[in-house]
Amino acid sequence: MTDDERKARIDSLLHGVKLMRDLKDSDTELDAKLTLYIGDALDAIGIFINNVDVPKQLDGVIRKMAAAKFVQEAAEGTTATSEEGLSFTFSDDDMKPFATLLNKYMDNQSGANRLGSVVTWD
């Protein structure tokens, strides 16, 4: 993926993250921070699946990871916090909440999850 393609992809993902967080596209105050979280999520998933070119099929995971990081902002290293009756519990591993889905993706790519396949030896 070229730098321009990566920027275009991150911009598209930014729109989705802002939509998830009820932010308008015209609200640009948090764009730099959200863009950083999206880029970090894109890189982390690329490392996890061992593919620098993360498929668009995983964009939902990227958006969710970036939004989760945004919620956890200023609480890095904290496993739980509570404020005015609202409590949050954070994983100490950013990938843990998404590992099952990413492992399922990798199994599907490798063919390890094929059910009902027929194998013949001719």
Side-chain angles (χ1 to χ4, degrees):
M1 172 182 321
T2 67
D3 287 344
D4 288 340
E5 290 170 334
R6 181 179 170 93
K7 183 179 178 340
R9 178 128 181 236
I10 288 174
D11 287 345
S12 173
L13 290 162
L14 176 62
H15 171 76
V17 171
K18 289 174 90 169
L19 189 61
M20 290 170 66
R21 302 302 312 157
D22 292 324
L23 299 169
K24 292 180 178 21
D25 282 330
S26 58
D27 296 336
T28 58
E29 183 178 322
L30 299 172
D31 284 5
K33 192 176 295 188
L34 291 172
T35 297
L36 177 67
Y37 293 155
I38 292 166
D40 288 350
L42 191 59
D43 293 340
I45 290 173
I47 291 167
F48 192 92
I49 66 169
N50 196 28
N51 186 352
V52 176
D53 293 322
V54 177
K56 288 189 176 281
Q57 186 178 14
L58 296 174
D59 281 1
V61 178
I62 296 166
R63 286 189 298 268
K64 288 176 185 171
M65 281 182 71
K69 197 65 170 174
F70 178 74
V71 169
Q72 189 177 354
E73 182 180 315
E76 285 81 1
T78 303
T79 56
T81 186
S82 180
E83 184 177 319
E84 296 182 14
L86 183 62
S87 64
F88 292 97
T89 304
F90 304 115
S91 173
D92 57 350
D93 178 0
D94 291 341
M95 296 301 290
K96 188 175 181 178
F98 309 100
T100 302
L101 185 59
L102 293 172
N103 283 325
K104 180 76 170 172
Y105 169 80
M106 291 182 351
D107 286 348
N108 287 337
Q109 296 306 302
S110 69
N113 203 26
R114 292 188 183 164
L115 300 176
S117 297
V118 176
V119 178
T120 62
W121 289 270
D122 294 327

